[in-house]
């Protein structure tokens, strides 16, 4: 799997969903795997999202008591 294939899969899924796909959606609806993302050089899903011109989602965990 190539970087170009992953980028194309992201673009197609984004168009199909009408929104920025989450990593879970990308992995579920395409043949892209977490391992393939790492293998082609994306250390994080956010790197792919930023490359595509989207804003990565930020999740803030509440502090533990």
């Amino acid at each position: 799997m190539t970087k170009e294939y992953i980028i194309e899969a992201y673009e197609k899924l984004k168009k199909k969903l009408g929104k920025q796909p989450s990593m879970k959606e990308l992995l579920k609806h395409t043949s892209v795997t977490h391992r393939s993302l790492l293998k082609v050089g994306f250390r994080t899903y956010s790197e792919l999202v930023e490359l595509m011109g989207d804003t990565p989602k930020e999740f803030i965990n509440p502090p533990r008591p």
Side-chain angles (χ1 to χ4, degrees), residues 7 10-11 14 20 45-56:
I7 289 169
Y10 182 95
E11 287 175 336
K14 181 179 176 179
Q20 172 183 323
Y45 181 67
S46 293
E47 286 182 15
L48 171 61
V49 172
E50 287 177 347
L51 177 70
M52 301 308 296
D54 293 328
T55 304

Side-chain angles (χ1 to χ4, degrees), residues 36-60:
S36 63
L37 286 170
L38 293 171
K39 196 172 184 181
V40 299
F42 294 114
R43 293 184 319 139
T44 64
Y45 181 67
S46 293
E47 286 182 15
L48 171 61
V49 172
E50 287 177 347
L51 177 70
M52 301 308 296
D54 293 328
T55 304
K57 293 182 166 74
E58 293 184 26
F59 297 95
I60 301 171

Side-chain angles (χ1 to χ4, degrees), residues 11-48:
E11 287 175 336
K12 285 181 179 179
L13 184 58
K14 181 179 176 179
K15 188 173 182 178
K16 180 180 176 183
L17 296 175
K19 66 177 183 81
Q20 172 183 323
S22 67
M23 183 173 178
K24 191 174 185 177
E25 289 170 327
L26 182 70
L27 299 179
K28 181 178 179 183
H29 297 291
T30 68
S31 59
V32 176
T33 64
H34 187 263
R35 184 178 181 101
S36 63
L37 286 170
L38 293 171
K39 196 172 184 181
V40 299
F42 294 114
R43 293 184 319 139
T44 64
Y45 181 67
S46 293
E47 286 182 15
L48 171 61

